[in-house]
Amino acid sequence: MLKKYEVLQEIKSSKIVAVIRGRSAEEACEISRACIRGGIKAIEVTFTTPNSLRVLQKLSNEDVHALIGAGTVLDAETARLAIMNGAAFVVSPNFSKEICETCNLYSVPYLPGCFTITEMVSALRAGADVIKVFPGSVAGPDYIKSVKGPLPNINLMPTGGVGLDNVVRWLDEGSFAVGVGSVLTKAMNGEDYKVVEENARKFVEKVSVLSGSAV
């Protein structure tokens, strides 16, 4: 298992976390693999996916060269199960002190969903490493800069409302990384996962200019 700081550094370096919501475990695995083939290095398998633990196990045991994390984690028990089944990081739509304590116990990064400054400060005090700004579609890119004014040390990852047209702006405003979800599977017809791979590659190419790296 990668050390905590290595996981955080990988997320920061790759800039994109693919949020995977599959209609089945098999579909979630295929979408995840397509994202990885497209160059995305961090995959968040949500617990709204049927048999999500099996997806975590399968992807974590494959030589996929990507971080596999768990999303939509609502309680500490689920967080522990996710970690035991290979999750390299844990994401929630809300902040939970109990989940934070569990993740800290196992030295796994916790990314809780917060929207207000009060929620964010509570999460920071509990030891959260990165704050998921959710829903990002309501906040907008300007919100990142506004929050980092009084809280310059905070690491923010907007999720929701991130698209090809604004991903660079989200990052330019100071985001640690961005969460990208349904836009990756947009226009996917049946099992045409090539579309997912192409969408993923477009995002990777878009953000690569920020670090000057070649794809």
Side-chain angles (χ1 to χ4, degrees), residues 117 141-151:
I117 294 291
D142 288 337
Y143 191 61
I144 301 299
K145 187 175 182 179
S146 297
V147 170
K148 289 184 74 70
L151 298 174

Side-chain angles (χ1 to χ4, degrees), residues 59-164:
L59 293 175
S60 297
N61 290 328
E62 291 178 4
D63 187 19
V64 293
H65 302 292
L67 297 174
I68 308 299
T72 322
V73 176
L74 301 179
D75 55 68
E77 181 181 358
T78 303
R80 184 180 181 278
L81 282 171
I83 293 167
M84 294 300 100
N85 283 276
F89 58 93
V90 171
V91 186
S92 297
N94 64 302
F95 166 63
S96 164
K97 185 178 179 182
E98 292 73 25
I99 294 176
C100 195
E101 290 174 345
T102 296
C103 290
N104 286 338
L105 178 64
Y106 292 99
S107 297
V108 170
Y110 176 47
L111 294 74
C114 300
F115 193 80
T116 68
I117 294 291
T118 299
E119 291 173 322
M120 293 177 188
V121 170
S122 295
L124 289 175
R125 282 178 173 160
D129 303 288
V130 178
I131 305 300
K132 168 184 171 180
V133 178
F134 183 76
S137 56
V138 176
D142 288 337
Y143 191 61
I144 301 299
K145 187 175 182 179
S146 297
V147 170
K148 289 184 74 70
L151 298 174
N153 60 305
I154 197 169
N155 294 319
L156 299 173
M157 185 183 80
T159 301
V162 178
L164 281 170

